[in-house]
């Protein structure tokens, strides 16, 4: 038993498919091609097997076609010899370890606030609520901790490396 779609239904489906394809980023010509390819694949499937909801199945086919086009549209430039090398990570790891030691050396109240900031996307307002402290207290602890950490790693208040290094 095969599903049948009548001509007015096909025209309405093609119109919906074209609109959807354009919303998926296809140009007008590409949207037309994708809609026609979708209907062709839908008919091929309907010859093989009963399709309960042809319009829904057609939308699925269209989305799969769009995904395939997106994958092939990725422009991969060939790597040059200079691009192949990676930056050394040892210096970054040493800097991070040094910063972690500096945070541990902060006074407990400042270190606690810095650890909470470093653990995730936590705002000073949320930290104040979690620690049951006024927002101003959290902000001042955070500011003092940042000043000490900048001094420890050799940054001035303007964010530039100090002349002492």
């Amino acid at each position: 038993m095969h599903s049948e779609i009548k001509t007015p239904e096909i025209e309405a489906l093609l119109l919906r498919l074209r609109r959807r394809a354009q919303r998926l980023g296809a140009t007008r010509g590409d949207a037309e091609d994708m809609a026609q390819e979708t209907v062709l694949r839908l008919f091929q499937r309907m010859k093989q097997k009963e399709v309960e909801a042809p319009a829904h199945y057609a939308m699925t086919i269209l989305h799969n076609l769009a995904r395939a086009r997106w994958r092939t549209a990725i422009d991969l430039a060939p790597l040059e010899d200079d691009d192949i090398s990676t930056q050394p990570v040892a210096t970054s790891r040493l800097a991070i370890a040094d910063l972690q030691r500096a945070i541990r050396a902060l006074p407990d109240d400042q270190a606690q606030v810095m650890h909470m900031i470093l653990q995730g996307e936590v705002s000073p307002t949320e930290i104040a609520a979690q620690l049951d402290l006024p927002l101003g207290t959290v902000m001042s602890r955070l500011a003092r901790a940042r000043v000490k950490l900048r001094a420890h790693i050799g940054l001035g208040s303007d964010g530039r490396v100090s002349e002492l290094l």
Side-chain angles (χ1 to χ4, degrees), residues 34-138:
M34 289 173 61
Q36 290 178 9
E37 176 72 20
T38 299
V39 171
L40 178 65
R41 290 185 184 194
L42 176 64
F43 284 156
Q44 289 172 344
R45 180 65 177 187
M46 288 171 62
K47 280 184 179 180
Q48 298 170 356
K49 184 178 177 182
E50 175 75 24
V51 176
E52 291 182 28
H56 178 72
Y57 192 78
M59 288 299 168
T60 302
I61 294 170
L62 180 68
H63 281 256
N64 289 337
L65 285 173
R67 283 188 194 103
R69 285 179 180 245
W70 295 334
R71 281 188 215 110
T72 59
I74 296 172
D75 185 27
L76 298 176
L79 289 176
E80 301 294 328
D81 288 338
D82 294 341
D83 297 335
I84 295 172
S85 65
T86 59
Q87 297 295 322
V89 295
T91 54
S92 299
R93 288 184 179 171
L94 290 172
I96 290 170
D98 188 38
L99 185 58
Q100 288 173 338
R101 278 191 300 278
I103 291 172
R104 284 193 300 271
L106 290 171
D108 290 339
D109 58 342
Q110 294 173 20
Q112 180 183 28
V113 172
M114 283 304 298
H115 281 295
M116 291 178 83
I117 291 287
L118 292 173
Q119 287 176 354
E121 306 252 343
V122 181
S123 70
T125 306
E126 292 170 353
I127 292 173
Q130 288 178 15
L131 297 177
D132 196 28
L133 293 171
L135 178 60
T137 302
V138 171

Side-chain angles (χ1 to χ4, degrees), residues 6-7 13 18-19 23-24 26 33 46 58 63 66 72 76 116 120 125 135-137 142 144 154-155:
K6 296 178 176 54
T7 304
L13 180 61
R18 278 189 218 109
R19 288 180 183 157
R23 282 195 301 263
L24 291 171
D33 291 345
M46 288 171 62
H63 281 256
T72 59
L76 298 176
M116 291 178 83
T125 306
L135 178 60
T137 302
L142 188 56
R144 283 182 272 148
L155 291 179

